[in-house]
Amino acid sequence: LYLGDNLQSDLQEARRWHGWHTGCIINEVENEVYAQDTTHFRELHTLRSRTRALLIDVQMAFHRRDGPGAPSPSREHEEQLVQELQAELKAINAEMSSCFNPQFGGIFRTDTHPSLFSVAVRKYADIYMKDVDSLANYSPNHKFYPTHAVHMAHDFTIINN
């Protein structure tokens, strides 16, 4: 296991050219975990999921009723409702981002999309941690089984509740 704190200069070459297993040291992980562990963040996460599901349901109901693009007397009211739900989602995403860092949000996500940094971490690191001391929590014989899921290992998900 090769450990480094720079994806480009430490881990990319070790992984691509030498085929080594790699671990990335990312100090910011601790702040991201702390932010996601707050009640406020979890409430926002649930609210975002429910608002998004409502938006999808509303759009599908309008589509099923009228067909795509069909004129309707209530279409203006319906479009206003969709716009309000989209604005609410945007506000929720902004508030969730400010839980991490008020200036630029989290380093692993932008709204619900993974950042380029998190894509690179998934590509070049088998594991990641805040510091080397994090390995002291595991026995020397511990085997890590990296996942290639959509979520990062530290992400809060509804399943974690």
Side-chain angles (χ1 to χ4, degrees):
L1 178 66
Y2 182 83
L3 298 175
D5 64 357
N6 186 299
L7 284 169
Q8 194 71 25
S9 63
D10 291 337
L11 305 180
Q12 187 176 3
E13 186 175 318
R15 175 67 157 243
R16 288 175 70 192
W17 300 113
H18 303 294
W20 293 350
H21 290 283
T22 57
C24 189
I25 307 300
I26 307 171
N27 295 325
E28 293 83 2
V29 167
E30 184 174 34
N31 296 335
E32 300 247 343
V33 169
Y34 175 77
Q36 290 183 30
D37 202 30
T38 63
T39 302
H40 180 63
F41 183 88
R42 290 172 184 246
E43 289 170 351
L44 286 170
H45 189 277
T46 301
L47 181 60
R48 179 176 67 185
S49 296
R50 290 180 178 166
T51 304
R52 195 160 185 261
L54 178 60
L55 177 60
I56 291 167
D57 289 346
V58 165
Q59 288 179 317
M60 291 303 294
F62 294 159
H63 178 76
R64 277 192 302 270
R65 186 192 67 204
D66 299 333
S72 168
S74 61
R75 177 73 70 187
E76 186 176 310
H77 173 66
E78 294 166 356
E79 288 178 6
Q80 181 181 354
L81 175 60
V82 168
Q83 288 174 359
E84 288 172 3
L85 287 170
Q86 288 171 336
E88 180 67 20
L89 266 179
K90 186 175 182 177
I92 293 167
N93 284 333
E95 190 169 347
M96 288 178 79
S97 288
S98 72
C99 290
F100 299 107
N101 184 305
Q103 284 76 35
F104 58 83
I107 63 170
F108 294 99
R109 294 202 171 276
T110 173
D111 294 337
T112 58
H113 306 288
S115 67
L116 290 177
F117 176 72
S118 71
V119 170
V121 169
R122 283 190 203 133
K123 185 174 182 178
Y124 296 114
D126 293 303
I127 60 172
Y128 62 96
M129 64 206 85
K130 75 175 185 104
D131 56 30
V132 177
D133 293 340
S134 299
L135 290 174
N137 297 318
Y138 300 93
S139 78
N141 297 327
H142 182 84
K143 181 164 174 71
F144 292 96
Y145 296 94
T147 178
H148 297 287
V150 174
H151 296 286
M152 300 291 288
H154 74 278
D155 277 344
F156 168 78
T157 62
I158 296 297
I159 296 168
N160 290 344
N161 272 345

